[in-house]
Amino acid sequence: MATRKAAARPNVSAEELLHHYREMLLIRRFEEKAGQLYGMGLIGGFCHLYIGQEAVVVGLEAAADEGDKRVTSYRDHGHMLACGMDPKGVMAELTGREGGYSAGKGGSMHMFSREKHFYGGHGIVGAQVPIGAGLAMADKYLGNDRVTFVYFGDGAANQGQVYETYNMAELWDLPVVFVIENNQYAMGTSTKRSTKSKSYWERGVAYGIEGEEVDGMDVLAVQAAGKKAVEYCRSGKGPYILEVKTYRYRGHSMSDPAKYRTREEVQKMRDERDPIENVRQLLLTGKHASEDDLKAIDKEIKDVVNEAAEFAKDSPEPSTDELWTDIYAKEIPQGEAIEA
């Protein structure tokens, strides 16, 4: 049955706390730059920014091991950066350049990295959930002790395919962590108006799936819950649900004016709950870093992001010949895994 007992907030080293700070700041600065490039017309189509939700992926990546997989929806740039994908390749893909992870043919919602075990952002709401269960099923079949993180939002949590996947995942004891990134507004409708139940993780009770609610604005709380979930899945007990309560500062996408909430509400969250500022204060009060140290880190991160933006601008657009490539698979990944 589902559980309400949250994992204990971990004591982490100064080095780990600084790592969390760097990773969250990289995502924040990268997304701010992506917003600028979108405004300049260098990024076309859809662009969904992750600003405010950084603690979710950074905390969960701290709980992952090498070889663990992740799959998510269209708000995916943060997930890519958190799992170690190159900011240059991500930015180049956003701008539709051949230096991007999908050679400029996928854009914001369709990037993949086999090397980093990132199986894409997906534009169809909820479609990544059964895909994630499939990844976990492959790992169970191969007996490689890997776990898959499947990210989806509060809006997608009302999709029927999510519950079909819950049923199969529990039935087959799949090593999958279902991460509900509840930013409280789905595309633009408050959960209070769209969803009758008070929580999403408790819906797993019907299938016998364990789970809990987590403060998604606290990277250490997310890390602790992530480790608990991963240990549960890796031990062969089946799936686990984490409902991570978070908040995005921008609209659903760059084209969303976000008139469904007040500026005061957003500013209050920034002032009182910002995940990066919270870690910044921990570093300062614990004397793990000085103001000058943190300013130097911010400059370093800005340099990385600016370099990624320049790389994207300088990278050429893909040739029209690329329209005919990457249509059929040339290899069978499962065959490689079996041989390994």
Side-chain angles (χ1 to χ4, degrees):
M1 296 295 290
T3 176
R4 289 181 180 274
K5 187 177 180 181
R9 198 165 181 260
N11 291 318
V12 299
S13 66
E15 183 180 5
E16 191 169 4
L17 201 59
L18 276 166
H19 174 77
H20 291 343
Y21 182 77
R22 285 176 179 274
E23 291 295 293
M24 289 194 292
L25 194 60
L26 172 62
I27 296 170
R28 178 72 59 88
R29 297 293 181 245
F30 183 94
E31 294 291 66
E32 290 171 348
K33 178 61 71 173
Q36 291 175 10
L37 295 183
Y38 187 94
M40 295 167 62
L42 294 174
I43 295 176
F46 292 100
C47 185
H48 307 82
L49 302 183
Y50 203 65
I51 297 174
Q53 299 185 211
E54 297 91 352
V56 181
V57 285
V58 172
L60 289 176
E61 284 296 334
D65 286 345
E66 175 59 36
D68 289 342
K69 298 177 175 64
R70 63 280 294 158
V71 62
T72 187
S73 64
Y74 39 73
R75 199 177 307 282
D76 53 3
H77 317 149
H79 303 73
M80 299 171 196
L81 297 174
C83 73
M85 290 171 66
D86 187 348
K88 293 180 181 178
V90 177
M91 194 69 85
E93 188 60 39
L94 288 178
T95 54
R97 306 304 177 96
E98 69 176 23
Y101 269 97
S102 296
K105 298 182 291 183
S108 176
M109 292 187 278
H110 301 98
M111 277 182 257
F112 302 83
S113 173
R114 286 181 61 186
E115 178 188 6
K116 297 299 181 181
H117 309 286
F118 179 79
Y119 287 86
H122 293 266
I124 304 300
V125 176
Q128 74 277 14
V129 180
I131 291 173
L135 292 169
M137 185 177 179
D139 286 333
K140 182 175 181 179
Y141 179 78
L142 295 170
N144 58 19
D145 199 36
R146 300 302 178 213
V147 169
T148 296
F149 294 88
V150 179
Y151 294 87
F152 56 103
D154 48 287
N158 288 323
Q159 284 272 332
Q161 59 192 319
V162 171
Y163 301 97
E164 294 176 30
T165 304
Y166 281 178
N167 182 58
M168 288 189 290
E170 178 63 21
L171 185 65
W172 297 333
D173 294 326
L174 300 183
V176 54
V177 180
F178 294 109
V179 184
I180 305 170
E181 295 194 72
N182 183 355
N183 64 29
Q184 304 171 53
Y185 282 98
M187 288 183 69
T189 302
S190 168
T191 55
K192 295 177 181 178
R193 296 181 58 216
S194 67
T195 306
K196 184 63 177 177
S197 55
K198 294 182 179 179
S199 74
Y200 292 99
W201 72 268
E202 289 180 303
R203 296 179 182 182
V205 171
Y207 308 92
I209 303 178
E210 298 277 347
E212 64 183 273
E213 181 182 297
V214 190
D215 181 0
M217 306 303 278
D218 182 340
V219 68
L220 298 182
V222 177
Q223 178 182 350
K227 288 187 174 181
K228 179 180 175 183
V230 165
E231 289 172 5
Y232 182 92
C233 294
R234 230 183 281 283
S235 66
K237 295 179 181 178
Y240 200 92
I241 300 174
L242 291 177
E243 180 182 349
V244 190
K245 298 293 284 292
T246 184
Y247 195 89
R248 57 174 164 81
Y249 297 160
R250 300 289 186 92
H252 170 69
S253 69
M254 286 297 295
S255 60
D256 174 17
K259 293 181 179 180
Y260 41 81
R261 59 185 180 181
T262 65
R263 291 183 179 180
E264 290 75 18
E265 177 188 312
V266 178
Q267 192 59 49
K268 181 178 174 62
M269 185 64 75
R270 279 183 176 271
D271 293 341
E272 299 178 5
R273 302 296 317 286
D274 186 77
I276 300 176
E277 181 60 27
N278 288 343
V279 173
R280 182 177 181 277
Q281 290 304 317
L282 287 175
L283 289 167
L284 292 173
T285 57
K287 300 188 184 304
H288 304 306
S290 66
E291 288 279 5
D292 287 341
D293 293 334
L294 299 182
K295 287 180 181 178
I297 291 173
D298 195 14
K299 182 181 183 305
E300 176 189 333
I301 294 298
K302 285 179 178 177
D303 288 344
V304 169
V305 170
N306 287 334
E307 187 178 354
E310 290 307 311
F311 174 82
K313 293 176 184 177
D314 293 340
S315 183
E317 293 184 354
S319 166
T320 53
D321 293 339
E322 284 290 334
L323 288 171
W324 311 107
T325 62
D326 301 320
I327 296 174
Y328 297 105
K330 296 179 181 179
E331 303 173 10
I332 303 175
Q334 290 87 345
E336 294 178 2
I338 290 171
E339 293 172 2

